[in-house]
Amino acid sequence: MPRVVHFEFHSTQPESTTAFFEKVFDWKIDKWDNPGAEYWLLNTGPADQPGIGGGLMRSRDGQPRTVCTIDVPDVDEYARKVTEAGGQIVVPKMAIPTVGWVAYGIDPNGVLFGIYKHDPDAR
């Protein structure tokens, strides 16, 4: 069964947002060296405890939001399921080099979410 495996904060001021979460929750936050994209990895706690890690990026449209990403066996298959159920794919499938594949969709009410498949060979 597909599960939420990652969350992502979209912020208009990522530097101050990362400082806020470090101060309040003592999360370890590292800027990811990813050419062409500002992205911070949020380590929210030990892997042997409940919870998931996340990321933070500069909002592309100037709107702050939180997006949950769901692990699926096949991004293309689930993109079809999204559209067949009345949703839309708003960011087509793209590679996160050496990490996997991701696409972003919205449900019929506008709820934004990601679908993701781990693939260390993604390019």
PDB file of all heavy atoms in Angstrom, residues 4 6-7 14 19-20 27 30 40 44 86 89 98 106-107 123:
ATOM      1  N   VAL A   4       2.891   7.774   2.729  1.00  0.00           N
ATOM      2  CA  VAL A   4       3.631   9.032   2.751  1.00  0.00           C
ATOM      3  C   VAL A   4       5.030   8.744   3.279  1.00  0.00           C
ATOM      4  O   VAL A   4       5.186   8.127   4.334  1.00  0.00           O
ATOM      5  CB  VAL A   4       2.922  10.083   3.632  1.00  0.00           C
ATOM      6  CG1 VAL A   4       3.783  11.329   3.778  1.00  0.00           C
ATOM      7  CG2 VAL A   4       1.556  10.439   3.062  1.00  0.00           C
ATOM      8  N   HIS A   6       7.701  11.301   2.683  1.00  0.00           N
ATOM      9  CA  HIS A   6       8.478  12.539   2.681  1.00  0.00           C
ATOM     10  C   HIS A   6       7.509  13.711   2.764  1.00  0.00           C
ATOM     11  O   HIS A   6       6.407  13.641   2.225  1.00  0.00           O
ATOM     12  CB  HIS A   6       9.288  12.607   1.379  1.00  0.00           C
ATOM     13  CG  HIS A   6      10.237  13.751   1.259  1.00  0.00           C
ATOM     14  ND1 HIS A   6      11.444  13.790   1.897  1.00  0.00           N
ATOM     15  CD2 HIS A   6      10.154  14.894   0.541  1.00  0.00           C
ATOM     16  CE1 HIS A   6      12.077  14.909   1.582  1.00  0.00           C
ATOM     17  NE2 HIS A   6      11.311  15.595   0.761  1.00  0.00           N
ATOM     18  N   PHE A   7       7.907  14.754   3.450  1.00  0.00           N
ATOM     19  CA  PHE A   7       7.131  15.984   3.405  1.00  0.00           C
ATOM     20  C   PHE A   7       8.037  17.085   2.893  1.00  0.00           C
ATOM     21  O   PHE A   7       9.263  16.988   2.942  1.00  0.00           O
ATOM     22  CB  PHE A   7       6.543  16.348   4.775  1.00  0.00           C
ATOM     23  CG  PHE A   7       7.588  16.746   5.793  1.00  0.00           C
ATOM     24  CD1 PHE A   7       8.020  18.062   5.896  1.00  0.00           C
ATOM     25  CD2 PHE A   7       8.142  15.802   6.645  1.00  0.00           C
ATOM     26  CE1 PHE A   7       8.991  18.417   6.820  1.00  0.00           C
ATOM     27  CE2 PHE A   7       9.099  16.150   7.568  1.00  0.00           C
ATOM     28  CZ  PHE A   7       9.535  17.468   7.662  1.00  0.00           C
ATOM     29  N   PRO A  14      13.210  30.673   2.511  1.00  0.00           N
ATOM     30  CA  PRO A  14      13.715  29.399   3.028  1.00  0.00           C
ATOM     31  C   PRO A  14      14.803  29.531   4.095  1.00  0.00           C
ATOM     32  O   PRO A  14      14.851  28.713   5.013  1.00  0.00           O
ATOM     33  CB  PRO A  14      14.222  28.668   1.792  1.00  0.00           C
ATOM     34  CG  PRO A  14      14.302  29.665   0.713  1.00  0.00           C
ATOM     35  CD  PRO A  14      13.386  30.785   1.062  1.00  0.00           C
ATOM     36  N   ALA A  19      15.953  28.247   9.707  1.00  0.00           N
ATOM     37  CA  ALA A  19      16.425  28.693  11.025  1.00  0.00           C
ATOM     38  C   ALA A  19      15.330  28.508  12.081  1.00  0.00           C
ATOM     39  O   ALA A  19      15.604  28.088  13.210  1.00  0.00           O
ATOM     40  CB  ALA A  19      16.871  30.150  10.960  1.00  0.00           C
ATOM     41  N   PHE A  20      14.087  28.797  11.716  1.00  0.00           N
ATOM     42  CA  PHE A  20      12.960  28.631  12.630  1.00  0.00           C
ATOM     43  C   PHE A  20      12.823  27.175  13.075  1.00  0.00           C
ATOM     44  O   PHE A  20      12.753  26.879  14.269  1.00  0.00           O
ATOM     45  CB  PHE A  20      11.671  29.097  11.954  1.00  0.00           C
ATOM     46  CG  PHE A  20      10.425  28.799  12.739  1.00  0.00           C
ATOM     47  CD1 PHE A  20      10.002  29.650  13.741  1.00  0.00           C
ATOM     48  CD2 PHE A  20       9.673  27.656  12.476  1.00  0.00           C
ATOM     49  CE1 PHE A  20       8.852  29.381  14.467  1.00  0.00           C
ATOM     50  CE2 PHE A  20       8.536  27.378  13.201  1.00  0.00           C
ATOM     51  CZ  PHE A  20       8.118  28.243  14.206  1.00  0.00           C
ATOM     52  N   TRP A  27      15.918  20.311  14.679  1.00  0.00           N
ATOM     53  CA  TRP A  27      16.153  19.460  13.526  1.00  0.00           C
ATOM     54  C   TRP A  27      17.514  19.766  12.934  1.00  0.00           C
ATOM     55  O   TRP A  27      17.991  20.901  12.954  1.00  0.00           O
ATOM     56  CB  TRP A  27      15.105  19.686  12.452  1.00  0.00           C
ATOM     57  CG  TRP A  27      13.739  19.185  12.796  1.00  0.00           C
ATOM     58  CD1 TRP A  27      13.376  18.413  13.852  1.00  0.00           C
ATOM     59  CD2 TRP A  27      12.549  19.438  12.063  1.00  0.00           C
ATOM     60  NE1 TRP A  27      12.033  18.156  13.822  1.00  0.00           N
ATOM     61  CE2 TRP A  27      11.492  18.782  12.731  1.00  0.00           C
ATOM     62  CE3 TRP A  27      12.254  20.150  10.913  1.00  0.00           C
ATOM     63  CZ2 TRP A  27      10.182  18.815  12.282  1.00  0.00           C
ATOM     64  CZ3 TRP A  27      10.946  20.189  10.471  1.00  0.00           C
ATOM     65  CH2 TRP A  27       9.931  19.516  11.152  1.00  0.00           C
ATOM     66  N   ASP A  30      20.391  20.475   6.347  1.00  0.00           N
ATOM     67  CA  ASP A  30      21.547  20.635   5.471  1.00  0.00           C
ATOM     68  C   ASP A  30      21.085  21.076   4.098  1.00  0.00           C
ATOM     69  O   ASP A  30      20.143  20.506   3.542  1.00  0.00           O
ATOM     70  CB  ASP A  30      22.295  19.298   5.320  1.00  0.00           C
ATOM     71  CG  ASP A  30      22.919  18.842   6.618  1.00  0.00           C
ATOM     72  OD1 ASP A  30      23.696  19.628   7.200  1.00  0.00           O
ATOM     73  OD2 ASP A  30      22.619  17.711   7.050  1.00  0.00           O
ATOM     74  N   TRP A  40      16.790  22.127   0.887  1.00  0.00           N
ATOM     75  CA  TRP A  40      17.348  21.790   2.181  1.00  0.00           C
ATOM     76  C   TRP A  40      16.746  20.473   2.639  1.00  0.00           C
ATOM     77  O   TRP A  40      15.537  20.263   2.518  1.00  0.00           O
ATOM     78  CB  TRP A  40      17.030  22.876   3.215  1.00  0.00           C
ATOM     79  CG  TRP A  40      17.749  24.158   2.981  1.00  0.00           C
ATOM     80  CD1 TRP A  40      18.869  24.591   3.629  1.00  0.00           C
ATOM     81  CD2 TRP A  40      17.408  25.196   2.061  1.00  0.00           C
ATOM     82  NE1 TRP A  40      19.243  25.827   3.156  1.00  0.00           N
ATOM     83  CE2 TRP A  40      18.360  26.219   2.185  1.00  0.00           C
ATOM     84  CE3 TRP A  40      16.383  25.356   1.115  1.00  0.00           C
ATOM     85  CZ2 TRP A  40      18.329  27.384   1.440  1.00  0.00           C
ATOM     86  CZ3 TRP A  40      16.356  26.522   0.359  1.00  0.00           C
ATOM     87  CH2 TRP A  40      17.320  27.517   0.523  1.00  0.00           C
ATOM     88  N   THR A  44      14.515  14.978  10.837  1.00  0.00           N
ATOM     89  CA  THR A  44      13.615  15.230  11.961  1.00  0.00           C
ATOM     90  C   THR A  44      13.826  14.300  13.145  1.00  0.00           C
ATOM     91  O   THR A  44      13.133  14.437  14.149  1.00  0.00           O
ATOM     92  CB  THR A  44      12.142  15.135  11.504  1.00  0.00           C
ATOM     93  OG1 THR A  44      11.897  13.800  11.057  1.00  0.00           O
ATOM     94  CG2 THR A  44      11.856  16.114  10.381  1.00  0.00           C
ATOM     95  N   GLY A  86      -9.933  11.895 -11.744  1.00  0.00           N
ATOM     96  CA  GLY A  86     -10.382  13.280 -11.804  1.00  0.00           C
ATOM     97  C   GLY A  86      -9.363  14.301 -11.337  1.00  0.00           C
ATOM     98  O   GLY A  86      -9.648  15.493 -11.304  1.00  0.00           O
ATOM     99  N   ILE A  89      -2.045  15.965 -13.124  1.00  0.00           N
ATOM    100  CA  ILE A  89      -0.602  16.007 -12.879  1.00  0.00           C
ATOM    101  C   ILE A  89      -0.171  17.423 -13.235  1.00  0.00           C
ATOM    102  O   ILE A  89      -0.319  17.855 -14.377  1.00  0.00           O
ATOM    103  CB  ILE A  89       0.151  14.947 -13.713  1.00  0.00           C
ATOM    104  CG1 ILE A  89      -0.281  13.543 -13.293  1.00  0.00           C
ATOM    105  CG2 ILE A  89       1.661  15.125 -13.571  1.00  0.00           C
ATOM    106  CD1 ILE A  89      -0.015  13.204 -11.828  1.00  0.00           C
ATOM    107  N   THR A  98      20.124  10.254  -8.970  1.00  0.00           N
ATOM    108  CA  THR A  98      20.613   9.247  -8.013  1.00  0.00           C
ATOM    109  C   THR A  98      19.649   8.972  -6.866  1.00  0.00           C
ATOM    110  O   THR A  98      19.973   8.216  -5.967  1.00  0.00           O
ATOM    111  CB  THR A  98      22.009   9.604  -7.431  1.00  0.00           C
ATOM    112  OG1 THR A  98      21.881  10.702  -6.541  1.00  0.00           O
ATOM    113  CG2 THR A  98      23.012   9.899  -8.526  1.00  0.00           C
ATOM    114  N   ILE A 106      -2.604  17.122  -8.273  1.00  0.00           N
ATOM    115  CA  ILE A 106      -3.633  17.700  -7.407  1.00  0.00           C
ATOM    116  C   ILE A 106      -4.880  16.837  -7.516  1.00  0.00           C
ATOM    117  O   ILE A 106      -5.163  16.263  -8.570  1.00  0.00           O
ATOM    118  CB  ILE A 106      -3.970  19.171  -7.749  1.00  0.00           C
ATOM    119  CG1 ILE A 106      -4.397  19.336  -9.209  1.00  0.00           C
ATOM    120  CG2 ILE A 106      -2.823  20.094  -7.390  1.00  0.00           C
ATOM    121  CD1 ILE A 106      -4.909  20.741  -9.549  1.00  0.00           C
ATOM    122  N   ASP A 107      -5.585  16.742  -6.404  1.00  0.00           N
ATOM    123  CA  ASP A 107      -6.854  16.029  -6.436  1.00  0.00           C
ATOM    124  C   ASP A 107      -7.915  16.970  -7.015  1.00  0.00           C
ATOM    125  O   ASP A 107      -7.621  18.136  -7.291  1.00  0.00           O
ATOM    126  CB  ASP A 107      -7.210  15.500  -5.039  1.00  0.00           C
ATOM    127  CG  ASP A 107      -7.887  16.505  -4.146  1.00  0.00           C
ATOM    128  OD1 ASP A 107      -7.712  17.736  -4.328  1.00  0.00           O
ATOM    129  OD2 ASP A 107      -8.612  16.080  -3.231  1.00  0.00           O
ATOM    130  N   ARG A 123      18.204   9.620 -13.743  1.00  0.00           N
ATOM    131  CA  ARG A 123      19.028  10.714 -14.313  1.00  0.00           C
ATOM    132  C   ARG A 123      18.156  11.664 -15.076  1.00  0.00           C
ATOM    133  O   ARG A 123      17.358  11.387 -15.837  1.00  0.00           O
ATOM    134  CB  ARG A 123      20.080  10.160 -15.258  1.00  0.00           C
ATOM    135  CG  ARG A 123      21.006   9.174 -14.618  1.00  0.00           C
ATOM    136  CD  ARG A 123      22.281   9.855 -14.128  1.00  0.00           C
ATOM    137  NE  ARG A 123      23.137   8.858 -13.518  1.00  0.00           N
ATOM    138  CZ  ARG A 123      23.423   8.847 -12.218  1.00  0.00           C
ATOM    139  NH1 ARG A 123      22.989   9.763 -11.424  1.00  0.00           N
ATOM    140  NH2 ARG A 123      24.182   7.910 -11.720  1.00  0.00           N
TER     141      ARG A 123
END
